[in-house]
Amino acid sequence: IAGITQAPTSQILAAGRRMTLRCTQDMRHNAMYWYRQDLGLGLRLIHYSNTAGTTGKGEVPDGYSVSRANTDDFPLTLASAVPSQTSVYFCASSDSAGLAANEQFFGPGTRLTVL
Amino acid sequence: GQNIDQPTEMTATEGAIVQINCTYQTSGFNGLFWYQQHAGEAPTFLSYNVLDGLEEKGRFSSFLSRSKGYSYLLLKELQMKDSASYLCAVTDSNYQLIWGAGTKLIIKP
């Protein structure tokens, strides 16, 4: 593994189903983030984690949950998917939160369609 | 509220120079990033500005004026591979990144 990986690459999901998007990084970064990207809108932060064992809510957290059991993994769960959650989801990481100059490194994204 | 404005789309010619502007209104300011995103791919880091002035990195330069809430990304000697979206993002007082919607740059031969 090099950098950040996400799985699956794409998924079509029936409304009401539960879905977990996986994210793993091997850079030993402390901070991790989940964004959604929709046409015409900027990246919007769903949840973040400043360090293993802690999580926080971003701009659009409703309908999503996360966990951070260890440094490397940061899964995002949709408990009961709805069509408005159709989007491209990006996981990102940075060396530390709270340091302004830390660039974020992004995974390749998961394209999710909820029907 | 927090707001970042960029033009939706720009067109330029191969070999030319293009300037992509970004204006921002955020709760606090701890730096401004530019990222490049090719269609269907992840964003990748281009530049970071925290002090006023110009930062040059090869064909790409980024400028910041904190008093005006303004930045621009300057791309010189445009190549076809520069066709992409360019995202402006500001680190606010809580050290969260606030993202603009991005500027789609189309390069014509």
Side-chain angles (χ1 to χ4, degrees), chain A residues 12-98:
Chain A
I12 299 175
L13 190 66
R17 297 296 295 270
R18 180 184 180 91
M19 175 76 191
T20 295
L21 308 184
R22 299 185 297 278
C23 175
T24 300
Q25 53 104 357
D26 66 354
M27 298 177 283
R28 307 305 294 173
H29 283 171
N30 285 312
M32 297 187 75
Y33 314 86
W34 273 106
Y35 292 95
R36 60 178 290 172
Q37 187 175 40
D38 302 290
L39 197 63
L41 299 176
L43 288 162
R44 291 184 291 169
L45 183 65
I46 304 170
H47 284 287
Y48 65 93
S49 169
N50 289 338
T51 189
T54 68
T55 62
K57 294 182 179 180
E59 180 186 355
V60 288
D62 294 343
Y64 306 94
S65 64
V66 292
S67 62
R68 187 88 184 277
N70 56 60
T71 298
D72 299 344
D73 301 301
F74 191 43
L76 176 75
T77 297
L78 289 67
S80 179
V82 295
S84 62
Q85 292 177 312
T86 294
S87 188
V88 179
Y89 291 86
F90 286 104
C91 179
S93 71
S94 66
D95 189 27
S96 296

Side-chain angles (χ1 to χ4, degrees), chain A residues 35 37 42 45 100 103-104 107, chain B residues 30 33 35 37 42 45 96 99-100:
Chain A
Y35 292 95
Q37 187 175 40
L45 183 65
E103 65 178 280
Q104 292 185 9
Chain B
N30 282 301
F33 289 85
Y35 280 75
Q37 185 177 24
F45 171 80
Q96 296 291 352
W99 295 83

Side-chain angles (χ1 to χ4, degrees), chain A residues 35 40-44 59, chain B residues 1-8 20-35 49 63-64 68-73 86-93 95-103:
Chain A
Y35 292 95
L41 299 176
L43 288 162
R44 291 184 291 169
E59 180 186 355
Chain B
Q2 311 213 81
N3 194 52
I4 296 183
D5 287 318
Q6 309 177 231
T8 301
I20 301 174
N21 296 324
C22 171
T23 58
Y24 62 89
Q25 291 177 307
T26 56
S27 57
F29 177 84
N30 282 301
L32 185 144
F33 289 85
W34 284 96
Y35 280 75
N49 294 70
F63 172 83
L64 175 67
K68 295 182 178 179
Y70 168 70
S71 173
Y72 67 73
L73 181 69
Y86 291 87
L87 314 180
C88 175
V90 171
T91 306
D92 70 7
S93 57
Y95 294 95
Q96 296 291 352
L97 271 180
I98 309 301
W99 295 83
T103 299

